[in-house]
């Protein structure tokens, strides 16, 4: 397995920074098409809490680049670096097709952009969207991130994700078939209500079973955290849910990493909620200590 920064470096020959963008979509289990209320953990901004709140894509992109520059202390400007526009909020393939097309193409026109990354649900890949991404992939790198969270259908129902494992399997098969050059990423969450360590590892196995070819694929694993104004916040306040402790989380993550084949690209291995809406766990807010711990437990392996 390798980490995302190395994957990008090998592919593009330089550092690549993802710039999170908001296409102002919604989600079928928020607008009533499949359900209402959204997943029990999903924030009001549909997981796009770090994005500059502008209706103008260019402004969002520029703000994102500024933020990256600040974090990299200007290094992204000194050494060659590329940017990957990343449509992250809600379901970024769900909405008016012409509008989405316009936004994707606009993002590709920004300076020093090396491709397009899109986060979506497995049940939101229409024929038109797939055809468009297929076309784009002939010229640019295309990364498609599918939410799965868990392979336990019972948990899936409980968290109100409103799609099934079969939706996920079909989406992976469709993307592999129609957009063979696309880099497919799957998002899993560890610590969902009622899940044991064995359930989390089963979800990892389930994802790996869908990627048996000798081709790079991505996996993003995050710890479940509680943010304001969610169903999970209420459960947490009522004592009906507890977050995983940091040691517990990394123990399972370590076992998950042991399963990873050579072609697995680790996109993330922790989730850090934005401070202004974070409720729990407290350990996830201290990024430095989390990374130190991760180094000790995982990286030195
Ligand atoms: S599918 Fe994604 S965007 Fe929709 S409610 Fe769930 S986490 Fe939020």
């Amino acid at each position: 397995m390798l980490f995302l920064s190395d994957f990008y470096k090998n592919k593009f020959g330089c550092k690549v920074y993802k710039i999170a963008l908001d296409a102002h979509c919604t989600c079928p289990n928020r607008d009533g098409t499949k359900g209402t209320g959204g997943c029990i953990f999903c924030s009001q901004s549909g997981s796009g809490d770090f994005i500059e709140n502008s209706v103008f894509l260019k402004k969002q992109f520029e703000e994102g680049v500024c933020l990256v520059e600040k974090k990299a202390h200007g290094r992204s400007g000194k050494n060659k670096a590329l940017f990957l526009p990343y449509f992250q909020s809600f379901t970024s393939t769900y909405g008016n097709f012409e509008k989405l097309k316009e936004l994707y193409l606009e993002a590709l026109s920004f300076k020093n952009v090396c491709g397009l990354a899109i986060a979506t649900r497995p049940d939101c890949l229409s024929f038109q969207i797939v055809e468009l991404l297929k076309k784009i992939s002939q010229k640019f790198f295309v990364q498609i991130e599918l939410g799965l969270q868990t392979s336990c259908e019972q948990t899936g129902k409980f968290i109100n994700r409103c799609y099934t494992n079969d939706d996920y399997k079909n989406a992976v098969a469709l993307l592999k078939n129609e957009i063979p050059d696309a880099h497919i990423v799957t998002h899993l969450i560890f610590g969902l209500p009622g899940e044991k360590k064995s359930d989390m590892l089963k979800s990892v196995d389930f994802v790996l079973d869908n990627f048996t070819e000798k081709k790079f694929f991505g996996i993003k694993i995050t710890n479940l955290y509680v943010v304001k104004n969610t169903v999970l916040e209420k459960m947490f306040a009522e004592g009906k849910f507890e977050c995983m402790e940091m040691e517990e989380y990394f123990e399972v993550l370590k076992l998950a990493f042991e399963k990873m084949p050579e072609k697995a690209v680790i996109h993330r291995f922790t989730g850090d909620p934005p401070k202004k809406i974070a409720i729990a766990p407290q350990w996830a807010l201290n990024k430095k200590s989390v990374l130190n711990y991760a180094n000790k437990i995982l990286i030195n392996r």
Side-chain angles (χ1 to χ4, degrees):
M1 80 181 190
L2 77 165
F3 287 101
L4 183 62
S5 51
D6 294 325
F7 171 69
Y8 285 155
K9 207 172 249 171
N10 293 344
K11 192 161 187 60
F12 299 104
C14 65
K15 180 107 183 130
V16 172
Y17 295 93
K18 273 198 298 184
I19 306 295
L21 299 174
D22 184 350
H24 297 283
C25 296
T26 179
C27 177
N29 62 339
R30 279 182 178 271
D31 69 3
T33 304
K34 287 230 166 154
T36 50
C39 298
I40 61 168
F41 50 80
C42 186
S43 72
Q44 296 300 306
S45 65
S47 306
D49 306 284
F50 290 101
I51 304 170
E52 150 69 18
N53 189 19
S54 171
V55 281
F56 300 109
L57 202 66
K58 193 156 198 284
K59 177 117 186 340
Q60 287 183 29
F61 183 78
E62 284 168 356
E63 292 286 334
V65 170
C66 267
L67 212 68
V68 157
E69 296 281 355
K70 227 191 259 172
K71 278 191 194 158
H73 305 294
R75 281 196 304 273
S76 75
K78 281 183 200 137
N79 305 317
K80 188 186 168 224
L82 292 171
F83 301 109
L84 185 64
Y86 171 41
F87 286 95
Q88 183 184 21
S89 308
F90 295 103
T91 301
S92 297
T93 56
Y94 185 63
N96 180 284
F97 171 72
E98 290 305 328
K99 185 74 205 150
L100 288 171
K101 181 178 171 185
E102 200 182 296
L103 291 172
Y104 297 167
L105 298 182
E106 185 186 351
L108 284 166
S109 73
F110 297 147
K111 207 176 153 205
N112 293 335
V113 152
C114 62
L116 194 63
I118 295 177
T120 188
R121 297 160 52 98
D123 58 347
C124 285
L125 290 166
S126 67
F127 172 76
Q128 278 179 312
I129 287 285
V130 172
E131 281 301 298
L132 173 65
L133 294 176
K134 185 178 180 173
K135 237 187 202 163
I136 293 174
S137 77
Q138 284 155 9
K139 271 178 100 180
F140 294 94
F141 169 71
V142 169
Q143 179 175 303
I144 302 164
E145 183 180 312
L146 300 172
L148 175 66
Q149 333 308 0
T150 177
S151 66
C152 173
E153 297 281 15
Q154 204 186 331
T155 312
K157 278 204 181 104
F158 187 82
I159 62 171
N160 194 38
R161 70 178 180 180
C162 299
Y163 55 79
T164 63
N165 289 347
D166 280 345
D167 287 326
Y168 168 80
K169 278 194 196 171
N170 293 339
V172 172
L174 173 76
L175 292 174
K176 280 187 191 174
N177 220 14
E178 295 299 322
I179 322 177
D181 290 331
H183 179 61
I184 309 170
V185 186
T186 306
H187 184 194
L188 287 179
I189 300 181
F190 283 179
L192 290 165
E195 291 217 334
K196 295 192 291 290
K197 205 196 285 181
S198 54
D199 297 313
M200 302 170 212
L201 295 172
K202 259 188 220 158
S203 295
V204 173
D205 288 335
F206 177 77
V207 173
L208 299 185
D209 284 347
N210 281 276
F211 294 93
T212 47
E213 310 88 347
K214 289 253 162 280
K215 191 173 173 271
F216 284 108
F217 66 96
I219 186 157
K220 168 174 165 181
I221 304 177
T222 52
N223 48 293
L224 182 61
Y225 52 73
V226 185
V227 293
K228 286 182 187 160
N229 302 319
T230 56
V231 175
L232 195 63
E233 181 191 14
K234 197 165 173 275
M235 283 177 61
F236 183 75
E238 289 168 354
K240 292 180 183 153
F241 167 74
E242 276 180 23
C243 293
M244 287 177 96
E245 291 300 335
M246 182 169 74
E247 294 73 15
E248 210 184 345
Y249 174 71
F250 278 101
E251 195 189 309
V252 196
L253 194 66
K254 194 170 143 190
L255 297 173
F257 276 13
E258 278 166 14
K259 290 174 176 285
M260 295 297 162
E262 202 190 328
K263 296 288 179 184
V265 180
I266 306 297
H267 280 240
R268 264 196 98 103
F269 58 83
T270 58
D272 47 335
K275 285 201 171 85
K276 58 177 192 277
I277 55 163
I279 302 282
Q282 282 306 309
W283 63 262
L285 291 173
N286 192 341
K287 210 169 174 175
K288 207 170 167 193
S289 87
V290 173
L291 287 179
N292 283 342
Y293 191 76
N295 255 324
K296 204 167 89 191
I297 300 292
L298 306 169
I299 319 289
N300 292 340
R301 262 180 62 232

